[in-house]
Amino acid sequence: MNSSAANRRAFLRQMALWSAVALSKRSLLKGAEPETEGPLQASMDRAAKCCLVWLNTEEEWLPTGGYEVAHDTGRWWDAMLRYEAATGERIPERAEAAMMRNLRTLTDNPAALLMNTARLPGPEEKIKVNPHNLRETMLAYTALVRHRNSDWAHAQGRKLIETIGSLLDADGQMDYEKLATIAGGPLTKDPLMVQRSPAGEWFNATGTTGRAIEAIVWFHEATGDAPAVALAQRLAEIHFRQSIDPSGEIRAELRDPTHVGHTHSYCGTLRGLLLYGLISGERRYVDAVAATYRRGLWGNAISHSGWTPHDQGKSRFHGPEGDPVGEHASCGDVAQIALWLALRAGQADLLDDVERLIRARLLPSQINDPQHPRRDGAWGVYAHPFGYGAILDVFAAVLHSLADFQQQIVTMTAAGEVSINMHFDLDAPSVKVTATRDQKATLTVLPKESRALQVRVPVWVPRDSLQWTSADQPLPTNWNGAYLMLARKDVVAGRLITLRHDLPSRQTTEEMPISHRKFQLSWQGDEVVSCEPKVPIYDRPKA
């Protein structure tokens, strides 16, 4: 399959197979675009379609051509089952059965860790024990427990949790060599994955155990297993010491230009610490991540428009101008940290960041290329600061994030109020929300039942431009922080509620860290409408 003709033949055979197995009304792999309910739904549909197309029907339906088959298999399961939960769109049966066989084979080792194997197609040199996959393995097991009630995944997750716990030294470092011995393969030589320091000295394990914390927390939530939360606590304590600076800045050791680090893994560690803090009630973790989010991340790990460097510290991969390559998964990570701090820790102002990162970076940087199905709907690693990329582990991670955003557009408060948290389209059981933008922004809310309601208004919206009406009549303007409140008596099922406001213009400048190239961004509200000089993601033709 090295020639373009062979690739084309393989793709045509693959599409023929998919035509036979895609069962839903929206059929992810039909030629026409699926029916959608707004930009988030449309974006998720295209990303899920790309996830399916990446399965290679000539090589046991494995997700080939990406970072690593084992790693990407874990990402695929997590993303596709989250997508299914958010949209109701089932994974085609044949794809699910094949990927279930692959997952069982790739984790059929005494550690229960995802690792490439000679029992499946693939180059022998790729058969490595990779501690980076601790997170992806636990994500896959958790997704199968949560969405398929899988006893097998539950047992495998317990086995891996026991393995991880048994390999932690007194100072919190993992014995990677012993992990390789248990799993039964050669240990990867990638310096990000196998960093060790003399006992008692500072070490960086964000690329291995740190990024795994969130998946272990979710496994505990899905199963109730006590060993899972005990391991999450142990790892949280380790990474609170090793990965967090009390000032809120990113630790100097992690920013050291000679130290090998990874932005996505660092953000994943923050996600895990935050989630552990939220489920345990230990406020120090929540406060530490909030401080790092507000003080350390912006300008270091992410720009205002959402550029995120792949590398942290040492620049191992860079573009032609010398700047670090970017990748889209970390942008999704930062937005999810903001989402959780906003909705679960009372920091609602951060929802402005969530919406801006979605509109200014994630949506415009998704590839639109129907002639190349393995690219169409993808995100990835990109050399131009405002460019595109296509690789499965990244676009599966972004799909994971988008599914979370979609499910949090509308929530229910503890008091039973409908809460509209973000201005995106959604048809929920309690309400239908439609967001449109031209010269002004309009949010229409169609209640399906008479219930108290609150609508978040972004901080940047000029309050004197607000028009808050129902049936063309003004509504009472009662505020609770960032939310406009309506009592139950003012909400009538079937009667539209409308919020209109201005989209103020502004300009920002983003400067790249090595080349010092400057980009002048023009904004309308929280969307970029143009850039000087012109850049790929903001100057492509409208679809």
Side-chain angles (χ1 to χ4, degrees):
M1 294 180 65
N2 293 325
S3 71
S4 60
N7 284 332
R8 180 63 180 164
R9 288 194 298 272
F11 169 70
L12 290 173
R13 287 192 292 271
Q14 186 164 318
M15 293 303 288
L17 282 168
W18 283 123
S19 297
V21 299
L23 302 177
S24 71
K25 289 181 180 178
R26 277 196 313 204
S27 183
L28 289 173
L29 290 174
K30 287 182 180 176
E33 285 299 309
E35 297 173 14
T36 61
E37 297 174 349
L40 283 188
Q41 177 75 65
S43 181
M44 287 193 297
D45 288 345
R46 294 177 57 234
K49 177 178 176 179
C50 199
C51 279
L52 290 173
V53 170
W54 267 63
L55 301 186
N56 187 339
T57 58
E58 294 204 336
E59 295 194 24
E60 304 290 346
W61 298 58
L62 289 165
T64 59
Y67 164 64
E68 179 195 271
V69 163
H71 182 89
D72 293 351
T73 295
R75 284 282 179 92
W76 189 95
W77 273 110
D78 172 68
M80 291 301 289
L81 286 175
R82 285 176 179 271
Y83 168 75
E84 179 181 299
T87 66
E89 186 69 26
R90 291 278 300 194
I91 300 172
E93 288 183 2
R94 190 166 182 181
E96 177 161 341
M99 283 298 280
M100 193 69 238
R101 289 193 300 273
N102 291 333
L103 180 64
R104 285 176 176 268
T105 303
L106 291 164
T107 57
D108 185 17
N109 57 74
L113 177 70
L114 272 165
M115 61 176 285
N116 287 5
T117 172
R119 292 164 56 193
L120 289 170
E124 185 177 351
E125 64 271 16
K126 290 282 190 177
I127 300 174
K128 304 288 185 185
V129 175
N130 186 357
H132 199 56
N133 294 349
L134 295 172
R135 173 180 181 265
E136 278 59 36
T137 312
M138 289 305 304
L139 284 176
Y141 292 151
T142 300
L144 286 164
V145 170
R146 181 171 285 161
H147 302 295
R148 293 293 185 267
N149 298 311
S150 172
D151 292 335
W152 171 83
H154 190 175
Q156 287 287 95
R158 284 176 169 172
K159 184 189 294 186
L160 182 54
I161 283 169
E162 182 180 349
T163 300
I164 296 169
S166 72
L167 296 177
L168 295 176
D169 295 340
D171 66 351
Q173 296 190 75
M174 174 173 264
D175 189 334
Y176 300 121
E177 293 285 353
K178 191 171 181 181
L179 174 64
T181 299
I182 293 171
L187 182 64
T188 178
K189 291 181 169 49
D190 188 326
L192 175 67
M193 319 308 179
V194 291
Q195 295 180 27
R196 293 274 302 181
S197 297
E201 294 188 10
W202 178 82
F203 63 89
N204 177 17
T206 56
T208 57
T209 58
R211 69 200 305 272
I213 297 172
E214 64 175 344
I216 295 167
V217 169
W218 282 324
F219 186 80
H220 165 71
E221 289 184 324
T223 65
D225 281 5
V229 77
L231 179 60
Q233 179 183 13
R234 190 175 174 190
L235 293 176
E237 290 170 350
I238 291 165
H239 284 277
F240 191 81
R241 295 193 306 268
Q242 301 295 328
S243 306
I244 292 292
D245 188 313
S247 72
E249 299 291 346
I250 297 176
R251 287 191 68 128
E253 299 95 330
L254 293 170
R255 290 184 283 111
D256 186 328
T258 65
H259 180 75
V260 174
H262 182 222
T263 302
H264 178 48
S265 293
Y266 174 71
C267 290
T269 301
L270 294 180
R271 287 160 55 113
L273 292 172
L274 175 56
L275 287 175
Y276 177 74
L278 290 170
I279 69 156
S280 68
E282 293 192 53
R283 189 72 199 185
R284 63 181 177 135
Y285 293 104
V286 177
D287 292 344
V289 174
T292 305
Y293 178 90
R294 291 182 180 274
R295 187 175 301 168
L297 290 185
W298 296 99
N300 291 303
I302 190 167
S303 74
H304 187 70
S305 73
W307 176 78
T308 48
H310 177 276
D311 297 323
Q312 184 181 52
K314 183 177 182 178
S315 180
R316 295 200 292 167
F317 308 104
H318 46 80
E321 304 291 337
D323 294 308
V325 298
E327 58 84 29
H328 296 110
S330 296
C331 180
D333 291 335
V334 173
Q336 277 185 280
I337 293 170
L339 182 77
W340 301 340
L341 286 170
L343 297 184
R344 301 179 64 179
Q347 303 187 35
D349 63 301
L350 299 185
L351 289 170
D352 282 17
D353 292 346
V354 180
E355 288 203 54
R356 185 183 71 253
L357 293 175
I358 294 170
R359 288 197 175 92
R361 182 63 62 157
L362 294 180
L363 294 182
S365 62
Q366 186 176 28
I367 294 175
N368 180 19
D369 186 5
Q371 297 304 310
H372 299 91
R374 280 174 61 95
R375 288 175 50 80
D376 189 36
W379 294 270
V381 176
Y382 51 96
H384 190 287
F386 296 88
Y388 300 102
I391 192 166
L392 188 144
D393 65 322
V394 173
F395 69 75
V398 178
L399 178 55
H400 163 124
S401 298
L402 292 181
D404 195 8
F405 305 144
Q406 176 86 351
Q407 291 179 299
Q408 304 303 320
I409 295 171
V410 175
T411 58
M412 203 71 71
T413 70
E417 302 158 330
V418 175
S419 181
I420 300 171
N421 304 309
M422 291 181 282
H423 293 208
F424 292 106
D425 296 0
L426 186 72
D427 193 353
S430 58
V431 69
K432 182 175 182 179
V433 180
T434 306
T436 57
R437 291 187 173 191
D438 39 51
Q439 295 305 306
K440 288 180 175 284
T442 303
L443 187 77
T444 59
V445 179
L446 181 63
K448 299 181 182 179
E449 55 191 10
S450 181
R451 186 188 288 268
L453 181 142
Q454 62 178 29
V455 177
R456 174 188 143 268
V457 179
V459 173
W460 51 262
V461 171
R463 293 309 190 250
D464 59 3
S465 75
L466 289 173
Q467 300 173 41
W468 178 229
T469 62
S470 178
D472 295 324
Q473 297 300 309
L475 289 167
T477 307
N478 299 316
W479 291 92
N480 180 15
Y483 287 82
L484 278 170
M485 311 294 293
L486 279 181
R488 180 176 178 178
K489 65 181 178 62
D490 296 316
V491 180
V492 178
R495 181 184 296 172
L496 276 179
I497 297 165
T498 303
L499 176 69
R500 286 176 59 81
H501 61 78
D502 287 350
L503 292 167
S505 298
R506 62 189 175 97
Q507 284 74 43
T508 62
T509 300
E510 297 194 2
E511 182 175 342
M512 298 308 295
I514 304 300
S515 68
H516 299 291
R517 287 177 295 167
K518 292 183 179 180
F519 297 88
Q520 310 290 334
L521 304 179
S522 296
W523 298 75
Q524 190 173 21
D526 56 5
E527 290 185 89
V528 175
V529 293
S530 65
C531 178
E532 285 296 331
K534 292 186 182 301
V535 296
I537 68 173
Y538 301 136
D539 292 288
R540 68 181 182 183
K542 297 294 183 182

